[in-house]
Amino acid sequence: MTKANFIQYLLAKKEIEFSYGRKIFFIAWDERKGFILLDVLYDDTCVELTDFIQSIKEFLQQAQIDGKTLEYLLEHELEQIKIMGVY
Protein backbone atom coordinates (compact mmCIF):
# COMPACT_ATOMS: atom_id res chain seq x y z
CA MET A 1 0.00 0.00 0.00
CA THR A 2 1.13 3.51 -0.72
CA LYS A 3 0.11 6.87 0.71
CA ALA A 4 -1.63 7.56 -2.62
CA ASN A 5 -3.69 4.35 -2.29
CA PHE A 6 -4.79 5.32 1.21
CA ILE A 7 -5.82 8.80 0.07
CA GLN A 8 -7.62 7.35 -2.99
CA TYR A 9 -9.75 5.23 -0.64
CA LEU A 10 -10.68 8.39 1.28
CA LEU A 11 -11.42 10.32 -1.93
CA ALA A 12 -13.71 7.48 -3.02
CA LYS A 13 -15.55 7.88 0.32
CA LYS A 14 -14.54 4.40 1.40
CA GLU A 15 -14.39 3.27 5.00
CA ILE A 16 -11.02 1.83 6.00
CA GLU A 17 -10.15 -0.66 8.73
CA PHE A 18 -6.45 -0.79 9.48
CA SER A 19 -3.93 -1.71 12.13
CA TYR A 20 -1.08 0.36 13.45
CA GLY A 21 1.14 -1.31 15.98
CA ARG A 22 -1.03 -3.60 18.06
CA LYS A 23 -4.19 -1.52 17.68
CA ILE A 24 -7.02 -1.59 15.17
CA PHE A 25 -8.60 1.60 13.82
CA PHE A 26 -11.53 2.40 11.58
CA ILE A 27 -12.11 5.48 9.46
CA ALA A 28 -15.83 5.90 8.95
CA TRP A 29 -17.51 8.17 6.40
CA ASP A 30 -20.86 9.91 6.67
CA GLU A 31 -22.11 11.81 3.64
CA ARG A 32 -23.37 14.76 5.70
CA LYS A 33 -20.73 14.83 8.43
CA GLY A 34 -17.47 13.66 6.83
CA PHE A 35 -14.75 11.40 8.22
CA ILE A 36 -14.17 10.18 11.76
CA LEU A 37 -11.33 8.10 13.22
CA LEU A 38 -12.35 5.34 15.62
CA ASP A 39 -10.22 3.15 17.89
CA VAL A 40 -11.61 -0.40 17.78
CA LEU A 41 -11.37 -1.93 21.24
CA TYR A 42 -10.90 -5.61 22.05
CA ASP A 43 -14.62 -6.10 22.71
CA ASP A 44 -15.42 -4.65 19.23
CA THR A 45 -16.73 -1.38 20.65
CA CYS A 46 -15.27 1.85 19.31
CA VAL A 47 -13.95 5.05 20.82
CA GLU A 48 -14.11 8.25 18.76
CA LEU A 49 -10.64 9.76 18.37
CA THR A 50 -11.82 12.73 16.30
CA ASP A 51 -14.94 14.69 15.59
CA PHE A 52 -16.39 14.39 12.09
CA ILE A 53 -14.26 16.36 9.60
CA GLN A 54 -15.37 17.10 6.02
CA SER A 55 -12.02 17.93 4.43
CA ILE A 56 -9.68 14.99 3.74
CA LYS A 57 -6.64 17.24 4.13
CA GLU A 58 -7.88 18.61 7.44
CA PHE A 59 -8.79 15.08 8.59
CA LEU A 60 -5.27 13.79 7.86
CA GLN A 61 -3.77 16.79 9.70
CA GLN A 62 -6.01 16.52 12.77
CA ALA A 63 -6.61 12.79 13.30
CA GLN A 64 -3.97 11.42 15.66
CA ILE A 65 -2.78 8.01 16.78
CA ASP A 66 -0.32 7.91 19.66
CA GLY A 67 0.29 11.65 19.29
CA LYS A 68 1.13 11.39 15.57
CA THR A 69 -1.14 12.69 12.84
CA LEU A 70 -2.35 10.39 10.08
CA GLU A 71 -0.50 12.66 7.67
CA TYR A 72 2.76 12.01 9.55
CA LEU A 73 2.13 8.26 9.75
CA LEU A 74 1.46 8.04 6.02
CA GLU A 75 4.67 9.97 5.30
CA HIS A 76 7.04 8.39 7.81
CA GLU A 77 5.59 5.13 9.17
CA LEU A 78 3.56 3.74 6.28
CA GLU A 79 5.17 0.30 6.62
CA GLN A 80 3.55 -0.04 10.07
CA ILE A 81 0.02 0.54 8.71
CA LYS A 82 -1.74 -2.61 7.50
CA ILE A 83 -5.05 -2.28 5.66
CA MET A 84 -7.47 -4.91 6.96
CA GLY A 85 -10.49 -3.92 4.91
CA VAL A 86 -11.95 -1.27 2.63
CA TYR A 87 -15.74 -0.99 2.59
Short mmCIF file of all heavy atoms in Angstrom, two decimals, residues 7-8 12-13 21 34 39 61 67 74 87:
data_model
loop_
_atom_site.label_atom_id
_atom_site.label_comp_id
_atom_site.label_asym_id
_atom_site.label_seq_id
_atom_site.Cartn_x
_atom_site.Cartn_y
_atom_site.Cartn_z
N ILE A 7 -5.08 7.57 0.35
CA ILE A 7 -5.82 8.80 0.07
C ILE A 7 -6.89 8.55 -1.00
O ILE A 7 -7.99 9.10 -0.92
CB ILE A 7 -4.86 9.94 -0.32
CG1 ILE A 7 -4.02 10.31 0.92
CG2 ILE A 7 -5.60 11.15 -0.86
CD1 ILE A 7 -2.91 11.28 0.67
N GLN A 8 -6.61 7.68 -1.97
CA GLN A 8 -7.62 7.35 -2.99
C GLN A 8 -8.84 6.70 -2.34
O GLN A 8 -9.98 6.97 -2.74
CB GLN A 8 -7.04 6.42 -4.05
CG GLN A 8 -6.17 7.14 -5.04
CD GLN A 8 -5.57 6.20 -6.08
OE1 GLN A 8 -5.34 5.03 -5.80
NE2 GLN A 8 -5.32 6.73 -7.25
N ALA A 12 -12.59 8.27 -2.51
CA ALA A 12 -13.71 7.48 -3.02
C ALA A 12 -14.79 7.28 -1.94
O ALA A 12 -15.75 6.56 -2.15
CB ALA A 12 -13.21 6.12 -3.52
N LYS A 13 -14.60 7.95 -0.80
CA LYS A 13 -15.55 7.88 0.32
C LYS A 13 -15.68 6.46 0.85
O LYS A 13 -16.75 6.00 1.20
CB LYS A 13 -16.92 8.42 -0.08
CG LYS A 13 -16.91 9.79 -0.71
CD LYS A 13 -16.40 10.86 0.23
CE LYS A 13 -16.65 12.24 -0.28
NZ LYS A 13 -15.58 12.90 -0.96
N GLY A 21 0.64 -0.70 14.76
CA GLY A 21 1.14 -1.31 15.98
C GLY A 21 0.25 -2.48 16.35
O GLY A 21 -0.09 -3.31 15.51
N GLY A 34 -18.88 13.80 7.22
CA GLY A 34 -17.47 13.66 6.83
C GLY A 34 -16.83 12.42 7.44
O GLY A 34 -17.49 11.41 7.65
N ASP A 39 -11.10 4.18 17.34
CA ASP A 39 -10.22 3.15 17.89
C ASP A 39 -11.11 1.95 18.19
O ASP A 39 -12.06 2.05 18.96
CB ASP A 39 -9.57 3.68 19.18
CG ASP A 39 -8.54 2.74 19.78
OD1 ASP A 39 -8.43 1.58 19.31
OD2 ASP A 39 -7.86 3.16 20.73
N GLN A 61 -4.59 15.92 8.85
CA GLN A 61 -3.77 16.79 9.70
C GLN A 61 -4.22 16.78 11.16
O GLN A 61 -3.42 17.05 12.05
CB GLN A 61 -3.79 18.22 9.16
CG GLN A 61 -3.08 18.37 7.84
CD GLN A 61 -3.27 19.75 7.23
OE1 GLN A 61 -4.18 20.49 7.59
NE2 GLN A 61 -2.41 20.10 6.29
N GLY A 67 -0.31 10.33 19.38
CA GLY A 67 0.29 11.65 19.29
C GLY A 67 0.86 12.00 17.93
O GLY A 67 1.49 13.04 17.77
N LEU A 74 1.42 8.42 7.43
CA LEU A 74 1.46 8.04 6.02
C LEU A 74 2.77 8.45 5.36
O LEU A 74 3.22 7.82 4.41
CB LEU A 74 0.27 8.64 5.27
CG LEU A 74 -1.10 8.06 5.65
CD1 LEU A 74 -2.21 8.87 4.99
CD2 LEU A 74 -1.19 6.60 5.27
N TYR A 87 -14.30 -0.72 2.76
CA TYR A 87 -15.74 -0.99 2.59
C TYR A 87 -16.43 0.15 1.86
O TYR A 87 -16.09 1.27 1.97
CB TYR A 87 -16.38 -1.19 3.96
CG TYR A 87 -15.61 -2.17 4.80
CD1 TYR A 87 -14.73 -1.72 5.79
CD2 TYR A 87 -15.73 -3.54 4.60
CE1 TYR A 87 -14.01 -2.63 6.57
CE2 TYR A 87 -15.01 -4.44 5.36
CZ TYR A 87 -14.15 -3.98 6.35
OH TYR A 87 -13.44 -4.87 7.11
#
